[in-house]
Amino acid sequence: MSNNNNNSECKCSKCSSNSMGFVLVSTQTLRRHAQQDIVRQYQSGSSSSVIEVMSNDNDMEIDFEYNVDAEDQVEAEDLPLFGIDSLFDSESEDEGVIEATILDISDDESDDVREHFSSSNMPVDPTHAFIASFAAFFISKYVVNSGGAVLLKFLNEVLAHFGQSFRLPLSISGVNSMTVYKESDVVPECCNFERLSGRECGNALFFATSRALTIPKKIYISDAQRKRLERENGVRWSELHDLVYFNLVECTVIDPMHNLYLGTAKRIMEKWRSSGLITDAHLAEMQLDADKLVLPEDYTPLGTKIGRGFPFMKADEWKSWCLVYSPVLLRGCLPEAHLGNWTTFVNACQYLSMPSISMAHLDEAHQSLEAFCRECEKLYKAPFLSPNMHLHLHLRETVLNFGPVYGYWLFSFERCNATSTSTATSFQFDINAFLDSPEINFDIVKGNEPLPPSALPLALKGEISMDESKYEHLLEYYRETYDDQTLVHYHQAGHSDNFVNNQIQKFESINLLRQIYKSKTKNQRGSFMQALFETSDGRSTKSYAGQIQYLFVNTAVNSFAGHASQHVFAYVRWYKEVLLQPRAGEGVEVNEVGLEDDSMNSILPVHRICYPVAVGKHLGLEGEVQMCVVPLPQKIYI
């Protein structure tokens, strides 16, 4: 309310004490009284305000408390920004009341704030010192990239608006130099692979909220500071941090193809070559032995690359080197300590390269990789160790979180080898029973059990008569397997209906859950395998290596085999056993070059095939020629 003389009713704490409750004063006096009321309220110790900053769905509270000592207080009338001439001599006719918010900083936080500043280069004027300190501190904590320069320019325009001659530098480094602001030297702790949601990880880049969730702080200051933090901690800010269900560490998948084969396997060979552990003479010698090795169908042969120093090696070639070639060829070339450590790495790769893996094998693989890395530190010293080798120790968590490596390693992306097929069958296939057949139930498998859909339909050739000598072994197999000595030779079919048919149908290959086995051909690839048999004393089982001569189907013409009359077999010739196995710890079995005589054991149901193997002739320690056998992981896609 105003009178005709442009006077206004002032109801400040002094003017409202009369009987009317106000005094008519000029507009300028009204403003001055209102400002003085604010100053008096501040000096009387009014309660501090709390600024609450709301950020998206995260309630981030920043509480500032500062207990100002009486001796440090400055009269408001002495401060330029509170001066009447500088603050209220504007040409504007606005008559709104100015509201002030007073920031308070707690005692606990005040020490943290003070340690960043030094008063030696501060502006003499306390208000100017406060503005400069506020600008440096606020920009360092809450402003990213070019926002700091924009804020400094804005503050200078505010100072100019109120007639102040003081100006802030327009660069962040200039403000820091003016206030001698010191950034924290605390480096966040490195990854401890614990979940960031629901528990503390000890990393200074994160803080706990009232919802007991660990949320990242947005503390990046400038491009230079951001790059420094990235360089020191290996991470940068991402909006994905705001997803409380997304754990950046655990949700980062380690690709075993690059980690194991294109990473460590390649790096170790380069180290051996550069240090003289593997020479050109060694490579030439290894190439001669490599030419004698026969690999399974699904493993890539290296050709002449070993003798030429492993040029232009691809991931699947490094895989073949690790799992097939190196256990056989490195004996006699590397010192025992280096060979033993490499064997530990190969053992871990064997387990991790399986399409399915048990917890026991996963734990053994992890322990092997840990032992390998520790020994590398002794053999090759710290500079050889790389971050990629550190990731070996996180492969176990990766498998636990995301399953066996065949689900995400990059072989399938590069070769598109995960094509699935489906075949209608007239029977129900029990995957668990089939997986138990080679090792657990091998003694009760007959050969007429259901095959997996991947094996069907069999590409059968026309019926032929089985070789007479081999038929004798088939007849013996049926008698022993079905415990029926009344089965007779087909020559006696006219005297008894209980006879074994001699008609068979051969086929070239069979696909058992994506692991392919083949009949013997000129290149022999895919025909070598292993199967379990009981030892002669019947107390244990032992694996034997052999070569499939041909795959065939025999159909029972009577009821001795029950309702499923079609039997699927591999006719196998087995290598002679050697009792002493000097290289068992290296993953290499040694057999004689010669083959066992054919017997009933040559008739093997395909359900009992355990593993594919690589074989090759190799000179033993005493100069004798031996057949080396390297059992390999079976590819099983369930």
Side-chain angles (χ1 to χ4, degrees):
M1 173 178 170
S2 303
N3 60 9
N4 295 332
N5 295 328
N6 293 324
N7 291 332
S8 301
E9 296 179 358
C10 177
K11 298 182 179 180
C12 67
S13 57
K14 291 186 177 181
C15 296
S16 61
S17 59
N18 58 24
S19 58
M20 297 178 61
F22 64 87
V23 174
L24 293 175
V25 296
S26 65
T27 301
Q28 184 174 0
T29 302
L30 177 66
R31 292 177 180 174
R32 186 174 69 255
H33 286 188
Q35 188 271 339
Q36 290 174 346
D37 260 4
I38 294 175
V39 173
R40 279 192 292 270
Q41 183 181 7
Y42 169 72
Q43 292 176 335
S44 63
S46 62
S47 60
S48 64
S49 301
V50 176
I51 299 177
E52 295 185 358
V53 179
M54 308 299 291
S55 175
N56 297 333
D57 295 333
N58 304 325
D59 298 335
M60 183 170 63
E61 296 184 0
I62 306 174
D63 297 334
F64 296 94
E65 296 180 4
Y66 189 170
N67 300 325
V68 182
D69 297 333
E71 62 185 17
D72 295 331
Q73 290 183 0
V74 181
E75 290 295 329
E77 288 81 351
D78 297 332
L79 301 181
L81 284 182
F82 286 109
I84 299 303
D85 295 336
S86 61
L87 187 61
F88 300 115
D89 287 349
S90 173
E91 296 294 329
S92 172
E93 295 297 328
D94 294 338
E95 299 183 7
V97 178
I98 299 175
E99 297 180 356
T101 303
I102 302 168
L103 298 179
D104 245 17
I105 301 179
S106 67
D107 291 336
D108 293 337
E109 292 181 312
S110 63
D111 292 336
D112 180 60
V113 173
R114 289 190 191 102
E115 71 177 4
H116 294 290
F117 297 96
S118 172
S119 60
S120 59
N121 294 329
M122 287 283 193
V124 177
D125 189 288
T127 304
H128 297 166
F130 169 78
I131 293 174
S133 300
F134 168 79
F137 187 75
F138 186 85
I139 291 172
S140 69
K141 293 298 182 182
Y142 306 110
V143 179
V144 179
N145 299 334
S146 60
V150 174
L151 178 61
L152 292 174
K153 183 178 180 181
F154 170 76
L155 291 176
N156 283 339
E157 290 179 356
V158 172
L159 290 169
H161 178 75
F162 290 118
Q164 299 296 304
S165 60
F166 172 71
R167 295 291 184 273
L168 293 169
L170 292 180
S171 66
I172 298 174
S173 59
V175 176
N176 291 343
S177 175
M178 173 183 289
T179 60
V180 197
Y181 175 69
K182 301 176 182 179
E183 296 175 354
S184 175
D185 293 329
V186 178
V187 178
E189 296 180 11
C190 62
C191 155
N192 59 10
F193 217 79
E194 291 187 358
R195 295 181 181 274
L196 300 183
S197 296
R199 72 180 80 162
E200 292 292 339
C201 72
N203 194 314
L205 291 174
F206 296 83
F207 66 92
T209 68
S210 58
R211 295 185 294 173
L213 297 177
T214 308
I215 306 298
K217 288 180 180 178
K218 298 179 181 179
I219 67 168
Y220 301 116
I221 301 168
S222 62
D223 284 338
Q225 177 69 356
R226 174 177 56 81
K227 291 177 181 178
R228 182 180 67 81
L229 288 173
E230 292 173 9
R231 185 171 58 254
E232 292 176 353
N233 307 301
V235 298
R236 66 174 61 181
W237 170 257
S238 168
E239 290 299 329
L240 294 175
H241 285 298
D242 278 336
L243 301 175
V244 296
Y245 54 81
F246 179 76
N247 185 317
L248 186 62
V249 175
E250 284 189 305
C251 291
T252 300
V253 180
I254 302 170
D255 171 34
M257 185 188 80
H258 287 87
N259 181 245
L260 297 174
Y261 299 123
L262 287 176
T264 297
K266 180 179 179 180
R267 184 175 176 83
I268 285 282
M269 177 53 66
E270 291 173 348
K271 181 65 175 180
W272 290 341
R273 294 282 288 147
S274 63
S275 61
L277 291 174
I278 296 294
T279 64
D280 291 341
H282 289 140
L283 295 178
E285 181 182 348
M286 287 192 293
Q287 183 64 62
L288 293 176
D289 287 334
D291 293 338
K292 304 171 186 177
L293 283 174
V294 180
L295 275 64
E297 187 69 22
D298 296 320
Y299 286 82
T300 303
L302 298 188
T304 61
K305 286 190 174 182
I306 295 177
R308 292 187 291 124
F310 302 90
F312 308 107
M313 292 276 284
K314 299 179 181 178
D316 55 351
E317 292 174 322
W318 281 115
K319 179 185 175 186
S320 294
W321 163 252
C322 288
L323 303 184
V324 182
Y325 289 95
S326 67
V328 178
L329 305 182
L330 289 176
R331 164 64 64 180
C333 297
L334 278 180
E336 286 297 325
H338 294 266
L339 178 61
N341 191 45
W342 173 255
T343 301
T344 303
F345 176 76
V346 172
N347 180 60
C349 292
Q350 289 270 10
Y351 287 126
L352 291 172
S353 296
M354 294 180 176
S356 57
I357 186 171
S358 66
M359 285 298 301
H361 287 165
L362 181 60
D363 290 339
E364 184 172 346
H366 178 76
Q367 293 168 7
S368 296
L369 287 174
E370 184 175 3
F372 167 75
C373 292
R374 291 185 185 278
E375 188 65 18
C376 281
E377 189 174 6
K378 298 177 182 177
L379 294 175
Y380 310 113
K381 309 307 178 184
F384 175 76
L385 303 179
S386 64
N388 183 67
M389 296 180 70
H390 165 76
L391 293 179
H392 293 340
L393 306 184
H394 289 305
L395 283 174
R396 182 180 183 276
E397 287 82 0
T398 298
V399 173
L400 289 175
N401 288 337
F402 302 101
V405 300
Y406 272 70
Y408 45 84
W409 70 359
L410 295 183
F411 281 115
S412 57
F413 290 93
E414 295 184 354
R415 296 189 298 178
C416 300
N417 63 349
T419 303
S420 60
T421 60
S422 59
T423 303
T425 58
S426 59
F427 52 85
Q428 184 176 3
F429 175 67
D430 186 346
I431 182 66
N432 293 321
F434 181 80
L435 293 176
D436 290 343
S437 298
E439 299 183 78
I440 300 177
N441 299 327
F442 69 92
D443 55 337
I444 62 174
V445 172
K446 296 178 171 60
N448 62 346
E449 293 81 5
L451 290 171
S454 63
L456 302 175
L458 297 173
L460 299 178
K461 299 179 181 180
E463 281 192 352
I464 61 173
S465 296
M466 193 174 188
D467 181 86
E468 195 65 29
S469 63
K470 295 178 172 58
Y471 172 79
E472 294 291 343
H473 303 315
L474 179 64
L475 175 60
E476 183 183 1
Y477 171 84
Y478 277 131
R479 286 174 176 173
E480 183 71 23
T481 300
Y482 288 99
D483 193 20
D484 187 354
Q485 297 302 316
T486 65
L487 290 173
V488 299
H489 197 283
Y490 72 93
H491 287 162
Q492 301 173 346
H495 303 284
S496 173
D497 292 334
N498 207 21
F499 70 94
V500 174
N501 182 22
N502 73 327
Q503 297 298 301
I504 63 173
Q505 290 178 280
K506 292 183 178 181
F507 57 98
E508 295 296 334
S509 64
I510 187 168
N511 186 331
L512 301 178
L513 296 176
R514 306 294 174 230
Q515 183 66 60
I516 298 175
Y517 299 94
K518 292 186 174 183
S519 301
K520 179 182 177 181
T521 58
K522 185 176 181 179
N523 68 13
Q524 305 186 84
R525 293 190 62 192
S527 62
F528 295 98
M529 38 68 66
Q530 269 190 340
L532 291 181
F533 288 92
E534 284 188 354
T535 55
S536 57
D537 58 9
R539 296 181 179 179
S540 60
T541 60
K542 187 179 185 304
S543 60
Y544 290 82
Q547 184 180 29
I548 300 172
Q549 304 301 301
Y550 57 86
L551 299 160
F552 70 98
V553 169
N554 177 257
T555 303
V557 296
N558 46 45
S559 60
F560 74 85
H563 66 280
S565 60
Q566 189 179 71
H567 294 68
V568 184
F569 296 116
Y571 194 89
V572 182
R573 297 200 67 187
W574 303 99
Y575 284 101
K576 290 183 178 180
E577 178 185 5
V578 175
L579 296 179
L580 183 61
Q581 294 290 333
R583 304 185 62 179
E586 302 169 19
V588 178
E589 299 178 8
V590 177
N591 290 316
E592 292 186 16
V593 175
L595 297 170
E596 298 278 2
D597 295 333
D598 291 359
S599 66
M600 179 192 73
N601 291 330
S602 296
I603 308 298
L604 183 75
V606 296
H607 311 69
R608 287 185 52 187
I609 298 176
C610 280
Y611 307 108
V613 298
V615 301
K617 295 179 181 179
H618 187 69
L619 287 178
L621 298 178
E622 299 179 0
E624 74 282 10
V625 179
Q626 296 176 327
M627 181 62 70
C628 290
V629 177
V630 183
L632 297 168
Q634 186 173 14
K635 292 186 177 181
I636 300 177
Y637 290 94
I638 300 177

